[in-house]
């Protein structure tokens, strides 16, 4: 007969109560800090999947704030650079006069052809500078749109120099502008090839792979004829 275990005396006193003892204020803050440090340690150790919810929210908010600060800094720098347009070209320190030969006709052309327009000659000249610098840099990094913009920018610059230069030196100024644009195009159109890529596909007929079948042939054995005759009850046996 099986015996039923008896409860030990005072077993209810040894059982943990459902409610935890209330900790004091500093102790409760210490426990809360330890729990949050444990959550952070678990998040860095095991990654995003086991990260606690509050830590995920804090991470997303922190990254968003950092991105906003970076965008704000870049935007502020771009606005400051835009207010400084047009950038001053070193025409005063140009002993050869080549830079002034290109820059002055462009200024004169924009001054004469922006009269009555909402845009001023200063803004138009700064835009011309910004578009040229951006297309030169982006074209060097093989941007197709920037390279097309650079070609149009060089062509428009040559046209403005041709139109705004006085008659005696018009041909020379235009030639200098074309040569300067071609020299800078070595950077903007770096790696561009006008030779089309021709690919020829040669299809060589191949014979199908031979199929090998393994077969095993066993020699066929004929049944042997018995050396004795079958028993015949009608024929008496010889003793």
């Amino acid at each position: 007969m099986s015996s039923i275990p008896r409860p030990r005396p005072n077993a209810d006193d040894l059982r943990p109560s459902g409610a935890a003892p209330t900790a004091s204020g500093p102790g409760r803050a210490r426990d809360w800090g330890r729990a949050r440090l444990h959550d952070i340690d678990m998040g860095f150790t095991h990654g995003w999947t086991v990260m606690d919810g509050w830590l995920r929210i804090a991470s997303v908010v922190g990254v968003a704030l950092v991105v906003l600060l970076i965008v704000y800094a870049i935007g502020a720098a771009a606005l400051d650079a835009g207010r400084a347009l047009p950038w001053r070209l070193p025409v005063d320190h140009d002993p050869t006069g080549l830079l002034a030969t290109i820059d002055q006709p462009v200024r004169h052309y924009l001054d004469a052809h922006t009269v009555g327009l909402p845009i001023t000659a200063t803004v138009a000249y700064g835009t011309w500078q910004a578009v040229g610098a951006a297309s030169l840099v982006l074209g060097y990094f093989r941007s197709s749109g920037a390279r097309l913009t650079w070609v149009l920018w060089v062509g428009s610059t040559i046209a403005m120099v041709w139109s705004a230069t006085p008659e005696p030196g018009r041909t020379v100024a235009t030639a200098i502008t074309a040569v300067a644009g071609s020299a800078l195009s070595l950077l903007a159109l770096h790696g561009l090839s006008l030779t089309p890529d021709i690919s020829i596909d040669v299809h060589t007929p191949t014979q199908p792979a031979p199929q090998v079948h393994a077969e095993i042939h066993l020699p066929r054995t004929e049944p042997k004829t018995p050396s004795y005759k079958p028993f015949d009850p009608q024929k008496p046996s010889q003793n």
Side-chain angles (χ1 to χ4, degrees), residues 139-143 147 184-193:
Y140 179 80
F141 291 102
R142 303 176 184 271
S143 174
R147 288 178 171 180
L184 292 176
S185 296
L186 296 176
L187 297 176
L189 306 180
H190 171 70
L192 181 64
S193 177

Side-chain angles (χ1 to χ4, degrees), residues 132-150:
S135 59
L136 175 63
V137 174
L138 295 178
Y140 179 80
F141 291 102
R142 303 176 184 271
S143 174
S144 301
R147 288 178 171 180
L148 179 60
T149 304
W150 170 257

